[in-house]
Amino acid sequence: MDKVETVPPETPSPADSAEPKSPVDVLYTQEPRAAFTPQTIDVETKQSPSKEDFFIFRPSVAQQAIQEIQSHLSQDEDGELQSSWILAQISHWGTEREVLAFICNKSLLICYYDFVELGSSRVFRIPLNYIDTLTWGPLSYPRMALNKRDVYALQVKWDKLREPPSLFSWWNPWTEDLSYINLIQHPGDTTEKHLKDMCQLDKFMERLVDMVKLAHERSPLPGRANGLLVLNRPVNTDTSLGLLSLLNSKARLGYAKPRWGFGF
């Protein structure tokens, strides 16, 4: 009997048995992230407007600070808020610091606000009927002073009969044992009109004069010659050499603004 040879069926190759490739398999390899490099696309855009140089002039920052301070006003000691202002204080050492000023029915509030962390650090209250002298004029410096600002200043003095400060207080740049405060116009510039109006030192003075005179009429101090003396003369500063003032002014350390990629 003849032997019948059987031929085993052919085993299909992997290529023949594979299913048809889907569009996803065509677009992506098995490891699509293995050799992936993001593409860089250069898009021409219009030049964006420059950011505000001072934090206080950025959208809603000043409004937030004003609302926060207004919520802490005392009806008995301050009364109703009449106007808000963006100014700068110059110390007896010639250093500058931006402040928010609030004129109320009964008091003048000087607020040192932290515009980096958006929080109030401290508020200085001056009763309006205590203010007896306002001096308006250019800042005057000793001849040897290194840093001289060519600006007008307003000196608010609330006790002209007080004894001069002690030598320790005079040489302390952070002392609060002084009976006056010097205010200058904020050096920043903003495109928003209502913020620009809040920075006008001459308008602030006009408003303050009216409110101080009214406060003297309403609440005169017993045993004192009440009334406001307004002087037009240079506002003296006693910075002598003024190395600290020079550093503070050149770097504008008293203002919250971006510096070298950081904000402080």
Side-chain angles (χ1 to χ4, degrees), residues 74-134:
S74 169
Q75 186 64 33
D76 294 334
E77 298 187 47
D78 303 313
E80 297 296 330
L81 176 63
Q82 297 298 317
S83 57
S84 307
W85 306 83
I86 299 172
L87 304 172
Q89 176 192 353
I90 184 164
S91 72
H92 63 294
W93 273 50
T95 58
E96 301 173 33
R97 184 175 182 178
E98 63 187 346
V99 296
L100 288 172
F102 300 89
I103 300 178
C104 303
N105 287 341
K106 302 178 181 179
S107 66
L108 168 64
L109 301 178
I110 304 297
C111 174
Y112 305 95
Y113 195 85
D114 187 347
F115 290 100
V116 177
E117 298 185 358
L118 298 180
S120 174
S121 53
R122 146 181 102 94
V123 177
F124 192 52
R125 175 185 285 122
I126 309 168
L128 292 181
N129 58 345
Y130 281 35
I131 299 175
D132 49 44
T133 308
L134 294 178

Side-chain angles (χ1 to χ4, degrees), residues 175-189:
T175 186
E176 295 181 353
D177 187 24
L178 299 175
S179 60
Y180 67 88
I181 183 173
N182 293 331
L183 299 173
I184 60 175
Q185 191 156 306
H186 196 287
D189 191 16

Side-chain angles (χ1 to χ4, degrees), residues 54-69:
F54 294 85
F55 289 170
I56 192 173
F57 295 132
R58 293 186 174 181
S60 303
V61 172
Q63 290 83 347
Q64 176 181 335
I66 292 171
Q67 291 176 2
E68 180 180 337
I69 300 303

Side-chain angles (χ1 to χ4, degrees), residues 33 39 48 61 106 110-111 115-116 123 134 172 176 182 194 200 202 207-208 214 231 234 245 263:
R33 293 174 292 181
Q39 294 180 339
S48 58
V61 172
K106 302 178 181 179
I110 304 297
C111 174
F115 290 100
V116 177
V123 177
L134 294 178
N172 178 9
E176 295 181 353
N182 293 331
H194 75 284
Q200 303 305 312
D202 54 344
R207 186 62 173 162
L208 183 60
L214 187 60
L231 303 175
S245 172

Side-chain angles (χ1 to χ4, degrees), residues 170-232:
W170 192 253
W171 284 100
N172 178 9
W174 301 282
T175 186
E176 295 181 353
D177 187 24
L178 299 175
S179 60
Y180 67 88
I181 183 173
N182 293 331
L183 299 173
I184 60 175
Q185 191 156 306
H186 196 287
D189 191 16
T190 176
T191 57
E192 296 193 34
K193 185 179 184 303
H194 75 284
L195 293 180
K196 187 182 291 290
D197 292 340
M198 293 172 62
C199 298
Q200 303 305 312
L201 184 63
D202 54 344
K203 300 298 182 183
F204 168 80
M205 175 186 172
E206 293 175 3
R207 186 62 173 162
L208 183 60
V209 167
D210 293 338
M211 295 303 297
V212 169
K213 289 181 178 180
L214 187 60
H216 279 289
E217 294 176 2
R218 291 177 175 176
S219 305
L221 294 177
R224 296 288 297 272
N226 291 274
L228 176 64
L229 179 63
V230 180
L231 303 175
N232 286 277

